Amino acid sequence: MRKTFVLAAIAAFTLVGSAFAQDATPPGEKPVDPYTPSPANAGAAPLTDPAAFQAFHGKEGLTRIAGDLVDRSIADPRIKDIFATTDVPRLKRTLAEQFCYVLGGGCVYSGRDMAAVHKDMGVTNRDFNALVENLQWAMDKEGVPFAVQGKLLAKLAPMQRKVVER
Amino acid sequence: MKRLGGPAGAALACCLASTATAGEIETGGKLLLTHGVSALEGGAGGGLATWAVIAGAETNRGVGGEVHGTYVDVKDYKLRAFGGAVGWHDRLELSATRQEFDTGATGAKLGLGKGFTFKQTVLGAKVRILGDAVYAQDSWVPQVSVGAQYKDNSQDAIVRAVGAKDDKGVDVYVAATKLLLSQSLVLNGAVRMTKANQTGLLGFGGVNGGYKPQFEGSAGYLLSKRLVIGAEYRTKPSNLAFAKEDDWVDLFAAYAVNKHLSVTAAYVDLGDIATFKNQRGFYLSLQAGF
């Protein structure tokens, strides 16, 4: 009991320590270094046609897709090493926000920009394409029609220039 | 790995290759169908038309390649083509193809003899000079490549007899390819400077002229990540006095069975060939690659 209390106190202290960077670290996530949140960090302007967002089954559908994409990728022998130190809950949350934002779902993207997130990860085109394949799998699983999947992929594809380092 | 020799070295190299680390040559990595299929003349394209994509599934850090076998059956002729292409760093493509144009029973009517077969070797090189067809979805700039094909027809006496000036020729082309992901479309255009009659199978040049710019266009709609359907149009010169040469058209479907195997089927209309009219029929091509 006492041990739990001490751990909670340490956790609380850590949260307070990071409170200057972000208002609060969401539950289950690790603190991050300070940065300035901005819609521009999402890396693409939002779609204006609401039909695509509906075909992804809204924020709930995108949350499932982001979750499946991350779960599959952290188990994918091609790219799992890249995610070895990743804060998985945070990645799932910010990815869902990013997808929702660029599809015009009105979400706020609270994450960092693509160049900052992927700095020094050594991501290759091969890795990038592996992630795209996993995203296609997750979109298929959610039942998103192929023609609508292209709307999201078209928004994400140009991020290759910021993500791929070598 | 260079220091290792003999079968043991080769065996080790094979297994180390699967766990490639920085600095080693990679294979694979491209998304399905993003490297097109094999065009009739051996390079990556849509079938009859040339695309700006580089053959093979490699990315900018590796080597890829494919082999293909193509069979075209139109009313009075059959065409067989087989060859291969290698892609280096998604930048340079080298290809080699052998074409056999079988006149079958028509050969006798043409005075060539029953089953006479025109043969041609095509050696190609293509370099991507700008753009990225797949990633640059926020720009209208297509992927652009330039290429050259050296064509050597092995029946010089015959092709001269039908009025061609040469039994060898070089085509040069510029090709542009754009994938429009949000519309599920792939668009291609190419301009080819050529003096080839029926791609060179009937020799090069003739009384009606030599080098002329020709256009190749294709549009495909992606039904899924594995299946694309579309149409192609390819203009042709008409250099020979004895027979007019028509533009080529096809309706195609290309299906990626998996990362290593794809099938292309098409309905083709090759127009008049060597005075025989309305050469329509089917086109079937298999590609295997890495």
Side-chain angles (χ1 to χ4, degrees):
Chain A
M1 194 67 182
R2 171 165 290 185
K3 201 171 179 183
T4 312
F5 177 78
V6 171
L7 281 173
I10 291 168
F13 181 77
T14 315
L15 287 172
V16 169
S18 65
F20 295 100
Q22 303 300 140
D23 288 344
T25 300
E29 296 182 17
K30 296 174 191 124
V32 291
D33 290 338
Y35 64 93
T36 311
S38 159
N41 289 352
L47 269 182
T48 49
D49 174 15
F53 182 64
Q54 285 156 17
F56 279 91
H57 308 131
K59 181 72 196 286
E60 290 74 26
L62 290 166
T63 299
R64 285 189 290 271
I65 290 169
D68 287 343
L69 164 63
V70 172
D71 288 342
R72 192 173 176 88
S73 297
I74 60 179
D76 184 340
R78 297 176 296 177
I79 51 174
K80 66 183 172 71
D81 291 350
I82 294 171
F83 297 94
T85 59
T86 298
D87 179 345
V88 170
R90 178 181 165 85
L91 177 61
K92 288 180 176 177
R93 176 179 62 83
T94 52
L95 262 181
E97 286 175 2
Q98 185 186 28
F99 294 168
C100 175
Y101 175 79
V102 301
L103 286 169
C107 296
V108 173
Y109 175 65
S110 65
R112 291 174 291 164
D113 71 88
M114 291 301 101
V117 171
H118 297 93
K119 189 175 183 297
D120 300 328
M121 281 187 177
V123 175
T124 66
N125 279 315
R126 206 182 150 82
D127 302 330
F128 189 86
N129 290 347
L131 190 77
V132 171
E133 286 175 3
N134 292 345
L135 174 57
Q136 288 177 320
W137 174 86
M139 291 189 293
D140 284 344
K141 192 179 170 197
E142 182 65 25
V144 180
F146 178 76
V148 190
Q149 293 186 12
K151 309 263 183 203
L152 180 57
L153 293 179
K155 289 285 182 188
L156 304 179
M159 297 177 192
Q160 175 262 0
R161 290 194 290 272
K162 299 278 178 61
V163 170
V164 171
E165 293 198 311
R166 43 187 202 108
Chain B
M1 263 190 253
K2 273 182 188 162
R3 280 164 290 177
L4 296 165
L12 186 58
C14 110
C15 304
L16 284 173
S18 64
T19 55
T21 55
E24 287 186 25
I25 301 275
E26 294 173 350
T27 60
K30 272 186 202 166
L31 296 167
L32 286 175
L33 292 174
T34 58
H35 43 100
V37 293
S38 302
L40 199 57
E41 284 145 308
L48 300 183
T50 301
W51 292 10
V53 294
I54 301 296
E58 83 291 349
T59 63
N60 59 320
R61 292 157 50 82
V63 171
E66 49 88 5
V67 291
H68 68 96
T70 300
Y71 182 66
V72 187
D73 191 336
V74 291
K75 201 174 74 178
D76 296 302
Y77 305 101
K78 291 172 183 26
L79 176 69
R80 296 177 291 270
F82 48 91
V86 291
W88 184 81
H89 285 206
D90 199 23
R91 175 66 66 184
L92 171 69
E93 171 190 294
L94 298 174
S95 61
T97 285
R98 180 74 168 164
Q99 297 175 331
E100 297 177 357
F101 183 61
D102 191 337
T103 62
T106 313
K109 296 175 197 163
L110 286 165
L112 297 166
K114 188 171 185 297
F116 181 84
T117 300
F118 290 94
K119 290 171 186 162
Q120 176 172 247
T121 301
V122 183
L123 301 176
K126 185 199 291 182
V127 181
R128 177 164 65 86
I129 53 171
L130 66 90
D132 188 295
V134 180
Y135 300 132
Q137 295 296 314
D138 52 348
S139 141
W140 284 100
V141 179
Q143 177 165 326
V144 178
S145 294
V146 295
Q149 288 169 344
Y150 170 76
K151 301 176 172 184
D152 188 351
N153 187 311
S154 22
Q155 278 99 357
D156 41 317
I158 301 280
V159 299
R160 283 180 218 279
V162 300
K165 285 261 193 297
D166 278 304
D167 63 329
K168 295 178 186 64
V170 175
D171 290 359
V172 293
Y173 63 84
V174 179
T177 297
K178 187 77 192 169
L179 177 63
L180 300 174
L181 272 171
S182 56
Q183 281 81 33
S184 301
L185 284 175
V186 57
L187 302 174
N188 293 275
V191 175
R192 177 188 293 265
M193 288 299 293
T194 183
K195 53 182 178 173
N197 310 319
Q198 300 293 2
T199 78
L201 288 160
L202 298 184
F204 300 84
V207 291
N208 297 339
Y211 273 108
K212 287 172 190 157
Q214 303 295 330
F215 173 75
E216 293 168 37
S218 57
Y221 181 75
L222 287 85
L223 287 167
S224 78
K225 63 191 172 190
R226 296 183 183 283
L227 180 62
V228 56
I229 56 167
E232 298 185 293
Y233 194 91
R234 177 170 176 170
T235 71
K236 310 293 295 303
S238 192
N239 299 323
L240 297 176
F242 93 103
K244 85 177 165 81
E245 180 171 348
D246 283 326
D247 296 347
W248 285 0
V249 187
D250 77 75
L251 298 172
F252 71 91
Y255 181 74
V257 178
N258 56 38
K259 291 204 166 189
H260 304 292
L261 190 66
S262 56
V263 186
T264 309
Y267 169 77
V268 294
D269 183 348
L270 308 183
D272 294 3
I273 297 179
T275 75
F276 282 75
K277 297 192 185 307
N278 301 327
Q279 298 304 315
R280 299 179 188 130
F282 70 84
Y283 169 112
L284 188 66
S285 184
L286 282 176
Q287 296 86 32
F290 63 95

